[in-house]
Amino acid sequence: MTIPSERTTLASAQTRMADASSAPSDKARRTALEMIAPLGVPIMTLGMVVYFGFATTGFLSIGNITDVCANSALPVIVAVGLTIPLVMGEFDLSISALAGLATVLYAQLVAKEGVDPAIAILVTLAASLAAGAFNGFMIAYVGLPALVATIAMSSFLVGMQFYVSGSVQIYGGFPETLVAFSRSNIGPVPTLVIVAAIIVLGAWVLLEKSVFGRQVKAVGGNAEAARLAGVDVRRTRALGFILCTFAASIAGILFANKQAVAYPLAGLDVLLPSFTAAFIGAATFRFGEFNIFGTVVGVLVTQIAANGLILLGVPNYTTYVFQGVILLVALIFARVVALRGTN
Amino acid sequence: MTSDRVEDRRRPVVPVLDVRELSKRYPGTLALDRVSLHVAPNEILGLAGHNGAGKSTLTRMLTGAGRPDSGDMLLDGQSIRFRSPDDAITHGVAQVPQPLMIIPNLTGRENLLLGMHTRLFRPGRENGEQLWFGGSKSAVAAVELMAEHLHLTKILNVKVGRLRPVTQRLIMIGRALLRNPRLIILDEPTANLATPEVELLFSIIRPLARDRASVIYVTHRLDEMLDLCDRVIVMRQGRVIAEKDARILDKKELSGLITGADLSSKIKTLVADVDIHGQVHAGGPSADRSKTPHAGEEVLCCEDLCALPRTRGVDLRLHRGEVLGIAGRDGSGRTSLLRTLWGDRQVTSGRIVVRGVPTRLASPRDAIKAGFAYLPEERAANAVFPLASVAANATLPWLSRFAGPGGLMRAREEISSVSTLLKRLDVRPLKGAAYARIGAFSGGNQQKVVIARWLLGGADIFLFDEPTQGIDVGAREQVYEVIRELASDGAGIIVVSSEAEELARLCSTVHLMRDGAVVQTLAGDDVTESAISLAIVAGEIEIPAAEPWVGAGRARVSGRSPPDAAI
């Protein structure tokens, strides 16, 4: 058997796996599904674009496309950060509260306390890293379930948003250069999109090409085997949570600069969208595995849908309905393919 | 009853199951190629063949888990096609799958009741035990009766997680029998049982199976097959290539039939050198275990090593070039000893001396640094990342060595180091193996990749836990070959195994463990399969705990049994 490239190796490997175990049920159908499945999301996205393009005016205009991209930038940063714990089989429900705290804390420091922006950013990042480290410690070392630990953290962080801001809206006094930076374009491309792209690339290199990424995948693939092979599973898990909160707080700071206004609970609404994006991502490209580029596509899908629905003139709450539905569809889709594959 | 059956056999009887020309094609392979076989009433039919020979595909077709492309299945003379596993059970074909499928936190009774007509949360207490999953009256009565037949009465109220594997297996068998099957398929029921437990299991299931149902028995263990079965069918490459009366078949012939002509002549000689009792004739290629033991310096020494509660005062010495065996039944502390040496259990007293230096091993990382390598039992659960590439599986403990600037992997270097080792270990197919997902490879090849993992780091103390678990006959020889090669290259090796034959063939010294301590040591010419089996059994007899499983027809014991009697 000649194997010209890695991609074909995987395909032939799957065939061989089936041969070796001699236990596939219906391989023909499975292979067909496996070929179509990773394309499901792109096809769905294309369908949405075509539909919105015909059904609305202005959906395919340059201005609107730029808008969708600009609106996607910050959610992409958060969702890509969330992908790291997800790859490890963990998750973080405190990302939204954390991004919110970063927004409020940074805004309070620069706008109300008059702190130098660089120091304000450092303090904000330090606070969020502390929160991430606490999450990581509680989950990886103490062994608390991520579900409850990160919900608790989330509630705590929401409280802190009110405490830090004194429950008062913060506006005015934001550093002009940073505000301008966050709203600027480089050529036709919003600067924040470029920032997001850099973070996406960094996350991809980290996950796919680095030692840490290998360890993350090993922990996600088989934590017990990773431990017995000498991987420091607990440290890897904790670091994953720290990286996740780091991404969320960067997005929060950028959000504050972009809006030049901050108020508790009025920050980035990224909790459900990020999970939706990551799970759509797990149904894209590498099927059944969370992956960085899949997550990016997932964010774009949710943003395109939200934008298109607004242009259609449907009520605002439709976005929530749509997001819930699309998350369920992504999960069901993944489940059906998995069942076909194993049964 | 017995004489009736003998007469029955002389008359032409309608087979319970008659399979005619069954074929099943998967893209790229013909998994079943016109397979025909029949199972007579009250017969135990052995199904042999190595991994990929078509055994599992066949059992899938027979139990409704898959549909054949062509051919007929007749059940009691009636043509039938199963729509689903449930359908098969309804028609009287039940399977006891190889993985242990029990619910550890439910009692024996509750486990037996699973799948029967149950009512959730039936309030009430029985024998002082809260019942969560109660059954209808008839179901409860059936369970009581089955428990009596299988000598499980004493553990009906014990949480199944606390029972020995053999008992858990019996509960699975009981569960299948409760559906009143006419044909029961036992798939590797002895996979994680030690030799004496296997005998225990056989002594109970043999009469029961014969009175109640025909049996198809699938196993890699040839002795068991010859011991238990009336007739043996050998499959190879999707075809039935031989059908033999088990009484006139010997192990050598069976082994030859299974491995067939496609294996190298070297392995054939190896097989030919093993006589019926699994003992190696002097002069054969595998007899190199007889080379002077303790040839090299001492690499590892345990002095009164305790890691309570599982390891209680173990003394052992391991030398370069030595393969040291650890025998004992499941739960005797074999695995715990290896885990302790791997830094995965807290040493409570005693010490570990590595190459003359007392060493503290507080984590697997410490053990890796000290030159240990650990190949755990249940490879799939403990050692392999099925979706990751072979290379990623092999280099996991050594990532920093392949890291360039910024913690990025130097992929080319990684692939080339791994490829070299894969070639040396004869992983097949070799071409592109380093990139391919490890899940694509057979058990034997996966084990070689795990060995490669530790060779990469230059380990010289190898801890093998059940090295050939789930590996077919041919690949088994190759794993033995690798172990011997490691030893002759100067490594010290400890092998834990449930199979006396394996230990007899590999080891120069065998320690027998019981309750966390070494209780007997066999060395030199005493290391034979029968001596090892005997030592294990001898221990069983001393422990009264094992007795309830032997005494057939024992009076039911009322009230609660002391919990440790069943464990």
Side-chain angles (χ1 to χ4, degrees):
Chain A
M1 197 184 300
T2 50
I3 287 155
S5 75
E6 184 168 352
R7 190 163 289 274
T8 41
T9 311
L10 284 183
S12 61
Q14 275 154 1
T15 321
R16 279 201 308 269
M17 171 160 54
D19 293 349
S21 64
S22 71
S25 64
D26 208 339
K27 218 166 62 181
R29 201 165 16 151
R30 186 183 163 189
T31 334
L33 250 161
E34 268 176 2
M35 275 163 58
I36 298 168
L39 298 176
V41 173
I43 289 170
M44 191 174 72
T45 317
L46 198 68
M48 274 188 347
V49 169
V50 170
Y51 174 74
F52 288 136
F54 280 110
T56 68
T57 47
F59 177 77
L60 288 176
S61 69
I62 300 288
N64 192 54
I65 291 171
T66 317
D67 238 34
V68 169
C69 290
N71 288 338
S72 304
L74 298 182
V76 160
I77 295 173
V78 181
V80 156
L82 175 68
T83 305
I84 293 170
L86 286 173
V87 169
M88 285 191 293
E90 297 286 348
F91 53 87
D92 188 345
L93 295 173
S94 65
I95 42 172
S96 207
L98 200 108
L101 178 66
T103 304
V104 170
L105 180 58
Y106 168 78
Q108 179 73 19
L109 287 174
V110 290
K112 285 277 171 68
E113 318 284 344
V115 177
D116 182 74
I119 293 171
I121 289 173
L122 284 179
V123 170
T124 309
L125 288 181
S128 70
L129 289 188
F134 189 81
N135 271 343
F137 178 77
M138 283 301 160
I139 292 157
Y141 288 87
V142 181
L144 302 187
L147 176 75
V148 188
T150 57
I151 282 183
M153 175 56 76
S154 185
S155 178
F156 172 79
L157 293 173
V158 167
M160 290 309 285
Q161 291 177 30
F162 286 97
Y163 172 76
V164 166
S165 64
S167 306
V168 178
Q169 194 181 41
I170 305 161
Y171 59 91
F174 285 85
E176 275 165 33
T177 46
L178 284 176
V179 172
F181 171 82
S182 307
R183 293 173 178 177
S184 66
N185 289 326
I186 296 176
V189 187
T191 312
L192 287 185
V193 171
I194 291 170
V195 172
I198 291 168
I199 290 175
V200 165
L201 263 176
W204 180 77
V205 169
L206 185 73
L207 203 56
E208 302 296 333
K209 300 287 170 196
S210 80
V211 170
F212 177 70
R214 280 286 179 82
Q215 290 169 335
V216 165
K217 287 188 169 190
V219 170
N222 188 342
E224 176 68 2
R227 193 176 64 80
L228 289 175
V231 173
D232 193 335
V233 173
R234 293 184 292 192
R235 196 190 62 182
T236 309
R237 280 212 174 107
L239 273 174
F241 279 99
I242 291 175
L243 283 170
C244 173
T245 51
F246 187 68
S249 68
I250 286 180
I253 293 169
L254 290 171
F255 184 74
N257 282 319
K258 188 183 171 196
Q259 303 297 109
V261 60
Y263 186 72
L265 293 185
L268 273 169
D269 178 21
V270 282
L271 182 57
L272 192 61
S274 297
F275 275 87
T276 309
F279 275 91
I280 291 173
T284 319
F285 301 134
R286 263 180 298 158
F287 201 80
E289 288 176 61
F290 291 103
N291 62 91
I292 298 291
F293 289 130
T295 299
V296 174
V297 170
V299 172
L300 289 175
V301 168
T302 54
Q303 292 294 330
I304 287 170
N307 176 271
L309 289 171
I310 289 169
L311 290 182
L312 275 179
V314 297
N316 259 341
Y317 61 77
T318 317
T319 313
Y320 290 101
V321 176
F322 187 82
Q323 219 158 59
V325 170
I326 208 172
L327 175 54
L328 277 176
V329 168
L331 288 172
I332 292 167
F333 186 61
R335 184 75 193 142
V336 167
V337 174
L339 280 179
R340 284 279 175 82
T342 55
N343 233 346
Chain B
M1 179 83 198
T2 317
S3 57
D4 284 353
R5 206 174 61 227
V6 173
E7 274 171 37
D8 277 354
R9 264 198 209 160
R10 294 206 185 110
R11 268 186 274 134
V13 284
V14 181
V16 171
L17 176 75
D18 194 355
V19 172
R20 293 177 186 166
E21 304 265 305
L22 211 61
S23 291
K24 175 74 180 176
R25 177 178 287 281
Y26 294 125
T29 49
L30 192 55
L32 289 182
D33 186 3
R34 284 163 292 148
V35 168
S36 297
L37 59 86
H38 68 275
V39 188
N42 304 321
E43 185 184 33
I44 302 183
L45 175 71
L47 186 56
H50 55 68
N51 294 342
K55 289 177 311 198
S56 2
T57 310
L58 179 62
T59 52
R60 289 171 73 83
M61 301 302 134
L62 299 183
T63 54
R67 290 178 202 191
D69 297 331
S70 63
D72 294 312
M73 289 196 295
L74 279 73
L75 203 62
D76 285 330
Q78 303 274 310
S79 180
I80 192 142
R81 285 250 158 145
F82 298 131
R83 287 188 305 274
S84 67
D86 273 346
D87 196 29
I89 291 171
T90 317
H91 283 91
V93 178
Q95 187 186 13
V96 179
Q98 191 248 309
L100 274 175
M101 293 192 178
I102 46 104
I103 302 183
N105 54 351
L106 294 185
T107 65
R109 176 182 283 107
E110 289 163 341
N111 266 282
L112 283 166
L113 274 167
L114 290 176
M116 309 225 2
H117 306 287
T118 52
R119 270 180 293 161
L120 286 185
F121 310 121
R122 187 178 76 154
R125 302 171 79 79
E126 202 157 316
N127 294 347
E129 193 79 14
Q130 181 70 41
L131 257 187
W132 288 109
F133 294 86
S136 65
K137 260 189 189 154
S138 61
V140 169
V143 164
E144 297 277 341
L145 196 65
M146 181 58 63
E148 209 166 318
H149 280 301
L150 295 177
H151 311 285
L152 291 172
T153 313
K154 283 179 86 177
I155 55 86
L156 278 180
N157 293 324
V158 178
K159 292 241 161 70
V160 167
R162 302 173 57 199
L163 301 174
R164 292 158 49 181
V166 61
T167 319
Q168 297 176 338
R169 183 63 64 180
L170 276 171
I171 287 173
M172 279 177 69
I173 292 171
R175 206 153 68 198
L177 287 173
L178 277 167
R179 311 296 290 267
N180 291 318
R182 274 171 298 169
L183 175 66
I184 182 164
I185 299 172
L186 300 177
D187 193 357
E188 297 267 7
T190 57
N192 51 356
L193 304 185
T195 313
E197 291 181 314
V198 170
E199 276 155 29
L200 223 54
L201 186 71
F202 283 6
S203 70
I204 294 170
I205 64 172
R206 191 181 278 128
L208 260 167
R210 289 207 179 202
D211 294 346
R212 287 166 171 266
S214 303
V215 175
I216 294 182
Y217 189 82
V218 184
T219 188
H220 284 309
R221 297 186 177 185
L222 307 186
D223 291 317
E224 287 176 11
M225 181 160 283
L226 294 172
D227 182 17
L228 189 71
C229 299
D230 302 312
R231 201 154 51 89
V232 174
I233 278 182
V234 182
M235 290 188 72
R236 200 161 67 214
Q237 291 166 353
R239 277 181 226 142
V240 171
I241 55 134
E243 182 190 339
K244 300 270 176 185
D245 189 323
R247 282 168 303 187
I248 58 161
L249 187 63
D250 67 28
K251 192 175 167 187
K252 193 158 57 173
E253 188 185 352
L254 179 56
S255 181
L257 285 170
I258 292 171
T259 50
D262 54 336
L263 278 180
S264 68
S265 58
K266 190 179 180 187
I267 289 163
K268 266 200 197 155
T269 8
L270 277 175
V271 171
D273 279 316
V274 182
D275 71 17
I276 314 163
H277 306 294
Q279 290 180 17
V280 183
H281 294 304
S286 55
D288 55 355
R289 71 168 174 83
S290 58
K291 69 174 179 266
T292 39
H294 305 232
E297 53 172 311
E298 188 177 283
V299 281
L300 173 70
C301 166
C302 298
E303 293 169 3
D304 196 24
L305 182 66
C306 290
L308 297 173
R310 292 292 181 81
T311 306
R312 301 162 180 274
V314 171
D315 288 288
L316 65 80
R317 278 158 205 287
L318 180 68
H319 302 80
R320 290 199 184 280
E322 183 183 6
V323 183
L324 178 71
I326 309 268
R329 66 167 168 78
D330 227 41
S332 61
R334 307 173 309 182
T335 297
S336 290
L337 173 62
L338 294 195
R339 289 283 179 109
T340 309
L341 293 173
W342 191 237
D344 198 36
R345 297 270 192 280
Q346 183 143 28
V347 174
T348 45
S349 67
R351 59 181 197 158
I352 300 168
V353 181
V354 183
R355 290 177 220 90
V357 184
T359 309
R360 206 177 83 90
L361 302 168
S363 72
R365 278 187 307 287
D366 289 352
I368 291 170
K369 273 183 212 136
F372 283 84
Y374 175 47
L375 294 95
E377 63 178 339
E378 306 206 9
R379 216 167 22 255
N382 295 325
V384 167
F385 304 86
L387 294 181
S389 71
V390 164
N393 266 279
T395 56
L396 186 63
W398 318 106
L399 292 176
S400 55
R401 198 197 299 168
F402 296 100
L408 300 187
M409 294 293 294
R410 290 190 303 237
R412 202 170 296 162
E413 201 173 309
E414 181 188 15
I415 295 289
S416 75
S417 318
V418 173
S419 299
T420 313
L421 275 174
L422 296 182
K423 195 172 174 193
R424 189 178 137 199
L425 293 169
D426 194 24
V427 169
R428 287 180 201 186
L430 184 64
K431 191 143 193 176
Y435 295 98
R437 286 191 182 193
I438 195 172
F441 290 87
S442 68
N445 282 314
Q446 291 188 13
Q447 185 71 300
K448 287 182 196 170
V449 174
V450 182
I451 293 171
R453 173 186 292 171
W454 300 116
L455 286 179
L456 265 175
D460 62 356
I461 304 170
F462 283 80
L463 313 171
F464 281 93
D465 200 345
E466 301 283 6
T468 57
Q469 197 176 46
I471 292 177
D472 65 61
V473 178
R476 206 170 266 234
E477 297 301 334
Q478 295 189 332
V479 171
Y480 293 161
E481 206 53 40
V482 171
I483 291 176
R484 290 194 189 100
E485 222 170 89
L486 289 174
S488 65
D489 287 352
I493 295 168
I494 300 182
V495 174
V496 161
S497 178
S498 295
E499 288 177 63
E501 180 197 338
E502 185 162 286
L503 293 172
R505 294 188 53 193
L506 281 172
C507 306
S508 48
T509 308
V510 174
H511 290 316
L512 175 73
M513 284 192 74
R514 194 179 307 142
D515 296 329
V518 172
V519 292
Q520 194 180 342
T521 299
L522 302 168
D525 293 340
D526 291 342
V527 182
T528 62
E529 187 187 353
S530 50
I532 296 167
S533 299
L534 201 68
I536 299 171
V537 179
E540 290 298 311
I541 295 165
E542 279 168 31
I543 299 173
E547 216 201 325
W549 309 104
V550 190
R554 242 170 102 95
R556 278 178 64 184
V557 181
S558 57
R560 285 192 69 182
S561 54
D564 53 344
I567 295 163

